[in-house]
Amino acid sequence: MKVLKFGGSSVGSADAIDKVVGIIRKACETDSCAVVISAMQGTTDSLIEAGRSAERGDDGYIEILSNIGERHIDAIQELFETDNTVVMDFVESTIKELENLCEGVRLIRELSAKTLDRIMSFGEIVASRIVAAKLSAGGLENNWKDSRLLIRTDSNHGFAAVDFTETNRRIKGYFDGSPSKLYVFPGFISSDAGGYTTTLGRGGSDYTAAIIAAAINADVLEIWTDVSGMMTADPRFVRNVRQISHITYREAMELSHFGAKVIYPPTIQPVMAKGIPVLIKNTFASEDHGTLIEAESVSEKEMIRGITSIDEITVLSLEGSGMVGIPGFSKRLFDALSRAAINVILITQSSSEHSICVAIEQKCSEIAKLAVDLEFEHEINVGKIEPLKVESDFSILALVGDNMKAHTGVSGKMFTTLGHNGINIHAIAQGSSERNISAIISSKDVRKAVNTLHEEFFSDGNKQINVFIAGLGTVGGRLIEQLRTQHQHLSNELRLNVRVVGVANSKRALLVNDGIELESYRSDITEADEMTVAAFTDSIIEQNLRNSVFVDVTASPDVVETYPKLLAKSVSVIACNKIAASSEYEKYLQLKAAAREFGANFFFETNVGAGLPVINTLGDLLRSGDKVNRIEAVLSGTLNFVFNNYDGTRKFAEVVRQAQDKGYTEPDPRLDLSGTDVARKILILVRESGHVIEMDDITNAGFLPESCLAGTVDDFYTELERNDDHFRGLFENARNKHLTLKYIASFDDGKASVGLQSIGPDHNFANLSGKDNAVLFYTNRYSEQPLVIKGAGAGADVTAAGVFADIIRASRS
Ligand code: ADP
Ligand code: ASP
Ligand code: MG
C-alpha cells in the first residue's frame, strides 16, 4: 500500500486536480493507495479570515465564504462534464453551514479555538470530496472517509497532539473492515475524545498522511507538492537552489523544523519509526526525481544538505550573577515557558552560566515575559537576576547536514562568510549531533545571509558580486565597458558573476537590483531619479546585497565622506579617487582600520601609476618581511608626457593642452603641473611603506610661476603662454648640459620630496617615454639594484583595468 498526499496547490484548480487524478490512476496500476487531500490553496487562510471577521462583529465573512464557495463550484463545473449535483449540493450545504457557524460567532463576538477548528475543517472536507468524486467519475472507485473518525487527539485545538494508540487501532480497523484499492481522506483534521473537531497544526495534512502510512505500515509515503522535492534553500529566497535527491530522516526533520516549509515538521517522526521511505514529488512535473527521505542516504559531496531560516523570532535572555553555579534556574525557566505553552526553538547558554538565551516565536513574547518574570519574581526583587530581556525581529538561520561532523571548518566558513557581509550574529547553537548549526541574526539580514551561505556552500564556487559605481566619466565609462565584455570570461574562469547594480553621476543614480543593462546605462540614467551621492550610498546600505563593492571613479571629496559608513556595513570600497588615501594620516588610518574591522576591502591601486601594480607589489614586499628604504619615482604620466614632448619649438601651453586633450591630465591640469598630484602619490607610497607622513611634510620644488596658479583653467593657459620664456629657459638650461627634464618624486632617509630635475643619459629614468611611469623601490632585499615597476601610468583604459583588478581582488578575498 502506498500513501499519497496532495497539498493545497496540487488541488488548487480544476487543471491541477486533473493532474492529481492522473497521478493516482498511475499509482493504482501497481498498488493499492490511500490518498490524503489538503484544502484548495488559500482556503484555510480564507476560512480563518472569515471567522475573525465574524468575531469582530462585521459581516465581511459573508463575502469571504461566498468567494470560497464560488471557487469550489467553478472547479466542479470545470471538472465534471455533466453537473455533478451530489458534490455541488455538498459544497452549497457546506457553505450554508459555515455561514451559520460564522453568524453564531458574530452574535457572541467570540471565536474559540474549538470553533475555529470546526470552521477550518471545511477546506479539507470539501476538497477531498471533490477529488473523490472526480476519481469515481473517471472509473476509480474509492472509499472516502472522514479522518476525524480515525485520528484521535487531545483537545488542544489548533495544534492537537495525537493519541497514537487509539488512532492506530482505528485506522487499522478501518482498513481491515473496508477493503478497497483506493481510499481518500481529508488531511489536517482530527477529533478529540468528546468528538469535537481538532486540527493538527498549519500544514498538518502531511502529518495526517504520515500517521496513516505508519498505522498501516505502508511501503512508501509520497508527498506531492508544487516543487520537485526538498531544495538546498527556500526557492522563494534563493535563485539557484538545487534539488536534494536523497536525505536522511533526521536531516529532513532539522530542515523542516528550521523553516523548510515543504514538509510539516512532525511528519517525519511516525514514518521514521517504521522505516517507511518518504518521497517528495512535484504534481506539476511528475517525472522529476524528487527527494527521497530514508534512514541512510547516499553520501553527497557537499558538507551540508540545506540552509533554512525561520522569521519572527524573539530572543529571551535571562541573566544575573545569582544564576552562577546554582542548579535549577534553567529548569525553572523552561518549566515556566512550558506551562505557558511556549515552544522553545533554540537554546544557548554561556559557559559562565551567567546567562541563558532562548529563541521562541515572536507571537509568544508577551506571554513569555509575564510567565518568566513571575517565576523569578523573588530573585528579581532581591537583585539576583535581571528581569527577562526580550528582543524581537530576529530570524534563525540553520545549516543542516549529517556530513558536517565529518568535515571540519563548517562553522568557521559560515561565520566568516556572514562576517564578510556585515551580518551580525546575535547567538549561535550547535547540536551535539553536529547535524545543525544555527545562528540568530536580525531579520533584515536574512535574505542576504541565506543567499551568501548558499553561494558559499553550494554554487561550485560561483559567487555573485554586486558592484556600485560612482562616476561615469572616461574611466567609469571604460570600466563599465570592460566589465561588460569580460562578463562571460569572469564567470567561466573565475566563477564570478560580477553584476553592476548601481551607477551614479553627480546628478542622478540608476539602481537595478537584477543588474543594470550595460549597453544602455547612459540613456537609462537620464531617466533615473535625481540623487545625491549620500542618498546613493544610503540606498546601497539599504539594499543590503551580499558581496557589495563600491567603486569611486570620481574626484569628489563628497564621495570620500561616504566611505566610512559603507565600510562599516562591510561594503568594500575601491577608490580611483586619491583624496581618501592622501587626506590626513588619521583619516587614511581610520579607513584601513574600518575595512579590517568589518571584513571589507579598501583598495586604491590606481591611486599610483594608474593600472601598474605598484601598491600591491609594495604590499607583497612588506607582508613578506621586506623593508622599504628609498623610493624614486616618475609618477606623473602627464608631466612625463609634457616634458618628453616639449622641445622648445612649440609653446609649452600647447603641449599641456595636448596632454589634456588626450585625457592624461586631471580635469584641472594645475593639479598635475603644480606637483600636487605627484606629491599625493608619493605620500600614498610612503604611507603604504609603513611610515607616518602628511602632505605638509613633502618638499615641493614647483616649477610653475606663481601667476599660473590663480584663476580659472582658462586663465591658467593664458598665463602659461605669457610665461613661455620661463619654460623655454628651463628646457634650454638642461639641454645645454646634455640633460633632460623629469619630474621626480623621492623618498629617502625618512624625507619625501617632489620636483623637476635634470637627469643624465645614464639615469634610470632617462629612457622613459610618452606617459610612462616608473617606480624604483630600494629595500633590504633590493638594495643594490632596485625593484622597478614601469609602464604606461595614465590613460582611461589602463586606469579602468586597474580598478577592474581591484574589484576582482576584493571579490576573491
Ligand atoms: P503544499 O501546499 O503542497 O503542502 P507547501 O506550500 O506547504 O506545499 O510547501 C511547498 C513550498 O515550500 C514550496 O512551494 C516552497 O516555496 C517552500 N519551501 C520552503 N523551503 C523549501 C525547501 N528547502 N525546499 C523546497 N521547498 C521549500
Ligand atoms: N490546509 C491546511 C493549512 O493550510 C493544512 C495543509 O495544507 O497541510 O494549513
Ligand atoms: Mg504543506
Side-chain angles (χ1 to χ4, degrees):
M1 174 85 74
K2 273 182 180 172
V3 177
L4 289 81
K5 177 259 170 177
F6 293 89
S9 53
S10 304
V11 294
S13 65
D15 277 353
I17 294 176
D18 271 331
K19 292 202 167 58
V20 167
V21 170
I23 291 165
I24 297 173
R25 182 183 301 283
K26 194 152 175 234
C28 284
E29 282 169 13
T30 51
D31 217 338
S32 42
C33 298
V35 173
V36 175
I37 301 291
S38 285
M40 284 177 99
Q41 197 167 34
T43 306
T44 312
D45 288 339
S46 300
L47 288 168
I48 296 172
E49 214 184 308
R52 298 267 173 244
S53 125
E55 185 188 29
R56 287 191 302 271
D58 70 44
D59 58 8
Y61 70 88
I62 299 176
E63 197 185 335
I64 300 173
L65 293 179
S66 131
N67 288 342
I68 295 176
E70 220 167 274
R71 189 167 163 215
H72 286 82
I73 285 167
D74 284 352
I76 293 168
Q77 281 170 340
E78 254 187 79
L79 281 168
F80 299 95
E81 277 162 22
T82 51
D83 274 357
N84 189 322
T85 44
V86 182
V87 216
M88 200 74 99
D89 288 351
F90 179 75
V91 172
E92 275 163 1
S93 65
T94 302
I95 296 293
K96 215 49 274 115
E97 203 180 330
L98 271 169
E99 272 176 9
N100 291 339
L101 254 173
C102 288
E103 176 60 8
V105 170
R106 193 181 71 84
L107 289 174
I108 57 168
R109 299 275 175 98
E110 192 185 301
L111 177 64
S112 66
K114 191 171 172 179
T115 308
L116 185 60
D117 268 354
R118 204 152 139 53
I119 293 177
M120 286 197 290
S121 69
F122 287 88
E124 265 68 14
I125 297 274
V126 177
S128 61
R129 282 284 200 169
I130 295 174
V131 173
K134 179 66 185 173
L135 287 167
S136 303
L140 291 165
E141 281 314 317
N142 60 82
N143 284 1
W144 180 91
K145 179 76 175 171
D146 188 337
S147 319
R148 285 177 292 192
L149 302 175
L150 303 180
I151 301 178
R152 163 72 68 85
T153 65
D154 65 8
S155 304
N156 185 16
H157 289 281
F159 199 71
V162 176
D163 169 352
F164 276 97
T165 317
E166 181 59 17
T167 299
N168 287 342
R169 195 183 63 73
R170 287 179 182 214
I171 294 174
K172 269 192 246 151
Y174 171 67
F175 275 81
D176 289 345
S178 324
S180 172
K181 263 197 73 78
L182 180 60
Y183 301 87
V184 179
F185 304 94
F188 184 50
I189 56 176
S190 41
S191 64
D192 66 7
Y196 290 102
T197 300
T198 53
T199 55
L200 300 172
R202 294 303 308 273
S205 294
D206 297 337
Y207 193 29
T208 306
I211 294 166
I212 294 176
I216 61 172
N217 242 327
D219 299 310
V220 62
L221 166 61
E222 296 181 0
I223 305 276
W224 289 81
T225 181
D226 59 355
V227 275
S228 296
M230 277 193 126
M231 305 289 164
T232 46
D234 188 336
R236 288 162 302 181
F237 261 30
V238 179
R239 230 185 254 166
N240 302 318
V241 289
R242 279 202 253 144
Q243 185 238 325
I244 303 169
S245 57
H246 296 84
I247 187 168
T248 65
Y249 290 123
R250 292 191 185 283
E251 288 173 321
M253 211 148 41
E254 294 280 351
L255 279 176
S256 67
H257 181 69
F258 281 98
K261 181 182 171 234
V262 63
I263 38 173
Y264 180 53
T267 307
I268 304 291
Q269 187 59 45
V271 279
M272 181 170 82
K274 287 286 179 76
I276 300 168
V278 182
L279 191 56
I280 302 180
K281 296 277 287 177
N282 190 345
T283 302
F284 307 95
S286 58
E287 296 307 314
D288 286 1
H289 175 281
T291 298
L292 180 62
I293 311 176
E294 285 183 301
E296 298 293 329
S297 84
V298 283
S299 120
E300 289 183 31
K301 66 178 192 320
E302 275 89 19
M303 285 194 268
I304 63 162
R305 199 70 91 186
I307 302 166
T308 49
S309 61
I310 337 179
D311 294 338
E312 295 185 9
I313 292 294
T314 286
V315 176
L316 309 176
S317 312
L318 189 66
E319 295 177 7
S321 53
M323 286 166 58
V324 182
I326 302 171
F329 272 96
S330 14
K331 178 177 182 305
R332 286 173 59 198
L333 170 68
F334 295 120
D335 281 351
L337 292 173
S338 152
R339 278 196 305 277
I342 294 167
N343 182 30
V344 171
I345 305 172
L346 179 151
I347 311 162
T348 64
Q349 178 169 27
S350 67
S351 57
S352 70
E353 296 182 42
H354 197 76
S355 73
I356 307 175
C357 169
V358 300
I360 61 165
E361 286 178 89
Q362 195 151 312
K363 63 177 188 223
C364 303
S365 54
E366 278 175 28
I367 309 170
K369 170 84 177 149
L370 288 174
V372 176
D373 282 351
L374 188 67
E375 171 66 36
F376 293 102
E377 198 175 9
H378 171 69
E379 287 82 355
I380 294 171
N381 284 340
V382 298
K384 269 191 173 174
I385 64 170
E386 308 290 324
L388 186 72
K389 197 158 114 200
V390 181
E391 295 165 282
S392 292
D393 296 325
F394 283 108
S395 295
I396 298 179
L397 184 68
L399 243 60
V400 172
D402 280 344
N403 261 348
M404 269 190 316
K405 54 180 170 293
H407 289 86
T408 49
V410 178
S411 45
K413 195 167 170 182
M414 173 179 181
F415 299 132
T416 313
T417 308
L418 295 177
H420 268 311
N421 274 283
I423 297 165
N424 188 34
I425 297 167
H426 194 77
I428 50 176
Q430 176 170 27
S432 54
S433 66
E434 288 190 50
R435 190 175 293 117
N436 175 329
I437 307 174
S438 315
I440 300 179
I441 60 172
S442 164
S443 292
K444 70 175 177 15
D445 288 331
V446 73
R447 182 176 282 267
K448 178 175 171 185
V450 173
N451 273 284
T452 319
L453 291 176
H454 194 270
E455 208 165 64
E456 195 62 39
F457 285 97
F458 287 110
S459 68
D460 294 332
N462 258 322
K463 191 168 171 185
Q464 183 177 301
I465 311 300
N466 294 300
V467 177
F468 297 85
I469 301 174
L472 295 175
T474 1
V475 176
R478 297 304 303 150
L479 172 65
I480 291 179
E481 186 53 22
Q482 291 176 10
L483 286 169
R484 188 180 70 78
T485 51
Q486 288 302 98
H487 187 87
Q488 205 51 44
H489 171 80
L490 290 176
S491 163
N492 296 347
E493 301 300 320
L494 301 182
R495 300 222 164 264
L496 290 179
N497 173 18
V498 179
R499 215 162 59 164
V500 180
V501 279
V503 291
N505 56 28
S506 55
K507 293 189 196 68
R508 293 173 194 278
L510 180 66
L511 289 151
V512 183
N513 236 322
D514 282 341
I516 284 168
E517 284 294 341
L518 297 186
E519 281 88 2
S520 59
Y521 74 95
R522 284 224 185 259
S523 58
D524 295 345
I525 198 169
T526 57
E527 282 155 34
D529 291 342
E530 289 195 10
M531 206 184 270
T532 61
V533 169
F536 180 57
T537 43
D538 283 347
S539 66
I540 296 174
I541 291 168
E542 180 83 6
Q543 286 195 43
N544 203 9
L545 295 176
R546 65 189 185 279
N547 308 322
S548 291
V549 178
F550 175 73
V551 179
D552 178 4
V553 270
T554 71
S556 150
D558 293 347
V559 182
V560 174
E561 292 307 313
T562 68
Y563 295 180
K565 66 178 177 189
L566 288 167
L567 291 169
K569 289 289 171 191
S570 303
V571 176
S572 289
V573 173
I574 309 297
C576 183
N577 187 342
K578 291 186 224 21
I579 295 176
S582 60
S583 60
E584 304 87 75
Y585 185 76
E586 194 53 35
K587 262 195 178 170
Y588 155 88
L589 208 60
Q590 275 167 5
L591 290 172
K592 295 204 112 187
R596 235 187 340 267
E597 180 180 352
F598 298 105
N601 290 299
F602 172 42
F603 290 155
F604 40 87
E605 176 62 76
T606 51
N607 280 194
V608 180
L612 294 177
V614 181
I615 295 179
N616 259 297
T617 309
L618 181 53
D620 286 344
L621 289 178
L622 298 182
R623 277 188 290 275
S624 63
D626 207 349
K627 181 169 174 284
V628 177
N629 303 316
R630 195 175 133 210
I631 304 171
E632 275 221 309
V634 168
L635 291 173
S636 170
T638 320
L639 286 171
N640 208 36
F641 177 89
V642 167
F643 287 108
N644 275 339
N645 284 280
Y646 181 58
D647 57 6
T649 61
R650 287 194 287 163
K651 285 204 162 157
F652 187 73
E654 222 174 278
V655 182
V656 174
R657 201 179 283 282
Q658 190 190 358
Q660 177 156 33
D661 291 345
K662 281 184 177 284
Y664 300 156
T665 68
E666 295 285 324
D668 182 345
R670 279 171 296 190
L671 277 178
D672 297 298
L673 270 77
S674 65
T676 308
D677 189 56
V678 176
R680 280 179 180 171
K681 290 174 180 168
I682 190 75
L683 176 85
I684 295 170
L685 287 186
V686 174
R687 284 177 175 178
E688 288 288 295
S689 304
H691 301 272
V692 182
I693 183 171
E694 299 286 0
M695 250 331 225
D696 290 345
D697 302 331
I698 300 174
T699 316
N700 185 345
F703 68 92
L704 281 186
E706 273 295 310
S707 62
C708 296
L709 296 171
T712 63
V713 173
D714 283 341
D715 298 338
F716 159 70
Y717 276 111
T718 317
E719 279 305 307
L720 280 191
E721 296 214 16
R722 266 196 347 102
N723 285 285
D724 201 53
D725 286 350
H726 164 73
F727 299 111
R728 184 169 306 107
L730 290 173
F731 171 75
E732 281 173 355
N733 234 336
R735 188 177 53 187
N736 293 342
K737 295 184 210 150
H738 305 289
L739 300 174
T740 47
L741 293 172
K742 287 279 177 241
Y743 200 85
I744 295 178
S746 55
F747 170 70
D748 195 4
D749 204 17
K751 292 199 172 42
S753 63
V754 298
L756 199 59
Q757 292 183 24
S758 306
I759 58 166
D762 298 335
H763 194 281
N764 262 316
F765 296 146
N767 295 321
L768 276 184
S769 57
K771 54 188 190 300
D772 278 3
N773 276 197
V775 185
L776 315 180
F777 287 117
Y778 293 87
T779 70
N780 284 357
R781 290 186 197 136
Y782 294 92
S783 53
E784 298 295 318
Q785 284 300 317
L787 175 75
V788 182
I789 299 162
K790 183 180 147 185
D797 255 323
V798 286
T799 310
V803 174
F804 194 151
D806 268 353
I807 296 176
I808 303 305
R809 236 188 318 274
S811 311
R812 303 180 88 191
S813 54

